[in-house]
Amino acid sequence: MRYIILTLLLTLSIFSQNIDLKVKKAIIKIYTAAKEPSYKKPWISRTTRSSGSGAVIDGNLILTNAHVVANSTFLEVQRFDIAKRYIAKVVAVSHELDLALITTEEKDFFKDITPLKIGDLPESEQKILVYGYPMGGKTQSVTSGVVSRIEHQRYVHSGEKFLAIQVDAAINPGNSGGPAISNGKIVGVVMQGITFSQNIGYLVPTVMIKHFLKDWSDGKIDGVPQLHLFISKLENPAAKRYYGLNKKQTGILVDRVMPLGNSAGKLKKGDIILSIDGKKIEDDGTVEFRKDEYTSAKYLTDLHQFGDKVKLEVWRDKKKIDLNITMDKPNDGVWLVKSFQYDKDPTYFIYGGYLFSPLVENLVDSGKSKNCAIYSLINKFATKKKREQPILLGVFADRSNRGNQDLYNYLPTKINGENIVDFKSFYKKMFSQKDGFIVLEDSNNIQVIIDVKEARARHRKILQMYNVEFDRSKDLRDSNTTGI
């Protein structure tokens, strides 16, 4: 009997070791060289080097974080059991979900590697192992922990909120992109931690990983669709009575509908969304995504792909109505300030020493202190009459712009009395004027006046003085507008 038990334990031990070795072979170290642009000085950039982790999945693909490969100019990958580095390339990336797929054309890299499978959303307190190549050494590391909670969190890389798994396993720089494994399957991808915390780390859950893979199945990434609404909770009993809801009815109140968003013309201010796809919405804006577990009602639209229809049960004028909304409008087009940009150079142009750029989140987020005027625009939505907000970042001091040298972070809303619609049309108006004056005006009626002939006469000299090679970004150089 002892012999049988001993043999069984030995067999289980060997089986466990074999599984562990298969997992380790599938965990990849990623070396990234990147060009990191400066959004304050958009004509320059700096090079950076970093490393992260990834996991081999089906199709000779390596699943990792978008932030591991963002702005990359050169990628290499290395196996657990081979010292050689292999040149790699990005196949697909979703900066929104902080996920990416990379591969290498040298197919022998994947020899004897068993691809890891994508598992289901783990349970609370489920044990997990986090694999990767964190700081503190060069070889592969494994840490253990449990699932602490599952709820919507802000993804640092994109600034968007999606479902996330919190774990207590030790996570450090270099772990990014590595998998969390449970029962031999991937249950999440390491994306971020909280500095100075006691082992609080976050994973992109398999729900969002599967969304990303399905999105990419047609060869392009469309993103996660949204309803494009501003909503309020309905926890106040007086508010519920005001809108004619009974005690059993719950939902969220529509405050504003973005004019260029998916709900425009369908939902309106004062509507109460009772359910999405038949799932009841609680008064605190959450839904039950699993028995006795709740997260943001946004989860229900997060499950959809771009172009899907979503079914809403709405309380309007004290009556129930059913609405079907097609979610086919891109998220970036609905905001005045565009979301974080990666894998592209900033857009800018210089005119007589005045440096202009479209306002994007990279600019809002830069610097030690937040500029209130700029930061207040972060939740402003775009309209047909106002799609983008240009910003005057600063002025290259010269005799032609004397008196305006200290201008920076100026937000023009008009040019020569006309409203500015978007950055491209603003750029064309600036460069198309041949004489006279350009008068810019902001929302406080503060003017910036530029003498066109003087600016044109000094333009090239200013660029030479400040050692600026191009007076505009490549995307604008490729357009038909001529310089000055």
Side-chain angles (χ1 to χ4, degrees):
M1 185 66 178
R2 286 182 182 178
Y3 175 76
I4 293 171
I5 293 172
L6 182 61
T7 302
L8 179 61
L9 290 174
L10 186 60
T11 302
L12 289 173
S13 176
I14 293 171
F15 179 69
S16 176
Q17 288 175 12
N18 286 338
I19 291 177
D20 187 47
L21 183 59
K22 282 185 178 181
V23 171
K24 285 184 174 181
K25 278 191 173 186
I27 311 304
I28 307 303
K29 187 169 186 177
I30 302 168
Y31 298 88
T32 305
K35 182 182 76 171
E36 188 174 300
S38 166
Y39 277 78
K40 289 289 187 181
K41 299 177 180 179
W43 66 94
I44 64 173
S45 61
R46 67 187 182 99
T47 57
T48 62
R49 292 179 181 272
S50 60
S51 66
S53 306
V56 176
I57 60 173
D58 288 333
N60 287 347
L61 296 169
I62 301 166
L63 177 66
T64 186
N65 283 142
H67 76 258
V68 169
V69 299
N71 303 316
S72 62
T73 55
F74 183 63
L75 290 176
E76 290 180 302
V77 290
Q78 187 178 31
R79 291 174 50 147
F80 160 75
D81 54 346
I82 299 176
K84 178 184 174 181
R85 295 187 189 183
Y86 294 73
I87 296 174
K89 64 178 181 179
V90 176
V91 175
V93 62
S94 168
H95 292 292
E96 189 179 28
L97 291 175
D98 199 2
L99 292 171
L101 296 172
I102 65 175
T103 191
T104 173
E105 293 178 358
E106 301 179 70
K107 300 307 178 187
D108 63 317
F109 175 84
F110 297 99
K111 186 180 179 182
D112 298 327
I113 293 180
T114 303
L116 297 177
K117 300 297 182 183
I118 311 296
D120 296 322
L121 191 67
E123 302 288 338
S124 294
E125 300 181 36
Q126 186 170 322
K127 292 182 179 180
I128 52 102
L129 293 174
V130 173
Y131 289 81
Y133 295 86
M135 61 187 294
K138 293 183 178 180
T139 56
Q140 195 178 109
S141 166
V142 185
T143 56
S144 63
V146 298
V147 174
S148 304
R149 58 163 72 105
I150 302 175
E151 61 183 2
H152 270 59
Q153 295 285 348
R154 189 171 299 281
Y155 287 26
V156 171
H157 183 63
S158 65
E160 299 289 341
K161 282 188 174 182
F162 296 106
L163 196 70
I165 301 171
Q166 182 183 321
V167 296
D168 67 355
I171 290 173
N172 292 290
N175 268 125
S176 289
I181 303 292
S182 185
N183 299 320
K185 292 184 178 181
I186 297 173
V187 294
V189 170
V190 175
M191 65 167 168
Q192 62 201 44
I194 297 180
T195 309
F196 307 122
S197 68
Q198 292 293 318
N199 291 346
I200 297 179
Y202 294 97
L203 314 175
V204 181
T206 51
V207 174
M208 303 320 297
I209 296 171
K210 290 175 181 178
H211 187 289
F212 166 64
L213 294 175
K214 186 177 180 181
D215 186 1
W216 177 68
S217 63
D218 63 354
K220 63 185 179 70
I221 298 293
D222 296 308
V224 183
Q226 297 180 21
L227 287 174
H228 302 136
L229 302 169
F230 289 86
I231 58 96
S232 293
K233 300 175 182 178
L234 262 181
E235 296 177 299
N236 177 255
K240 294 184 72 171
R241 290 195 297 272
Y242 173 81
Y243 285 104
L245 294 172
N246 62 46
K247 292 182 178 179
K248 292 183 179 180
Q249 288 177 301
T250 60
I252 48 177
L253 177 66
V254 175
D255 291 327
R256 285 180 290 169
V257 179
M258 297 185 192
L260 304 182
N262 287 315
S263 296
K266 295 282 189 177
L267 288 168
K268 61 182 184 179
K269 181 180 178 180
D271 283 348
I272 296 168
I273 304 174
L274 304 175
S275 71
I276 299 176
D277 292 333
K279 288 277 190 178
K280 176 186 176 184
I281 300 176
E282 303 296 331
D283 287 332
D284 64 353
T286 63
V287 292
E288 188 179 40
F289 71 95
R290 205 159 53 184
K291 184 171 172 56
D292 300 328
E293 293 184 81
Y294 293 82
T295 192
S296 169
K298 181 178 175 292
Y299 175 72
L300 297 174
T301 55
D302 289 346
L303 295 176
H304 283 275
Q305 294 291 333
F306 190 83
D308 283 358
K309 284 187 177 181
V310 63
K311 184 179 179 181
L312 306 182
E313 185 183 32
V314 175
W315 186 257
R316 178 184 292 174
D317 299 328
K318 299 183 180 180
K319 292 184 294 184
K320 279 186 187 179
I321 61 170
D322 292 325
L323 295 176
N324 289 301
I325 296 177
T326 302
M327 297 186 293
D328 58 0
K329 293 185 173 62
N331 298 328
D332 218 32
V334 303
W335 297 102
L336 187 62
V337 178
K338 305 312 175 189
S339 59
F340 282 102
Q341 295 183 348
Y342 300 97
D343 303 330
K344 61 177 291 188
D345 293 327
T347 297
Y348 75 93
F349 72 84
I350 300 167
Y351 185 96
Y354 295 87
L355 171 62
F356 295 95
S357 181
L359 188 57
V360 295
E361 283 197 54
N362 307 66
L363 280 167
V364 177
D365 197 55
S366 64
K368 293 182 180 179
S369 58
K370 296 285 190 295
N371 181 294
C372 294
I374 294 175
Y375 201 72
S376 66
L377 298 177
I378 199 72
N379 283 325
K380 296 285 186 182
F381 45 74
T383 66
K384 289 181 179 179
K385 294 182 178 180
K386 185 72 172 178
R387 293 180 180 273
E388 283 181 299
Q389 174 61 59
I391 180 171
L392 171 59
L393 291 171
V395 181
F396 295 93
D398 180 68
R399 67 190 187 198
S400 64
N401 54 48
R402 188 159 55 100
N404 287 337
Q405 300 98 317
D406 296 329
L407 273 176
Y408 69 98
N409 291 347
Y410 173 81
L411 301 167
T413 57
K414 292 183 179 181
I415 176 170
N416 293 339
E418 295 182 8
N419 290 328
I420 297 171
V421 178
D422 56 33
F423 190 77
K424 279 284 181 73
S425 62
F426 169 64
Y427 160 72
K428 288 178 180 178
K429 286 180 181 178
M430 289 285 291
F431 277 85
S432 62
Q433 188 159 337
K434 305 302 181 185
D435 53 26
F437 297 91
I438 291 174
V439 181
L440 304 179
E441 193 173 328
D442 70 2
S443 58
N444 295 317
N445 301 318
I446 297 173
Q447 293 183 332
V448 173
I449 301 173
I450 303 171
D451 186 308
V452 173
K453 285 188 176 180
E454 197 171 19
R456 284 174 169 268
R458 296 290 298 172
H459 183 74
R460 292 297 168 191
K461 184 65 176 176
I462 293 170
L463 295 177
Q464 290 170 4
M465 282 194 302
Y466 289 93
N467 198 29
V468 178
E469 184 178 4
F470 297 109
D471 65 354
R472 70 198 78 185
S473 53
K474 188 178 185 303
D475 57 330
L476 296 182
R477 295 199 303 273
D478 292 339
S479 68
N480 294 325
T481 306
T482 57
I484 62 176

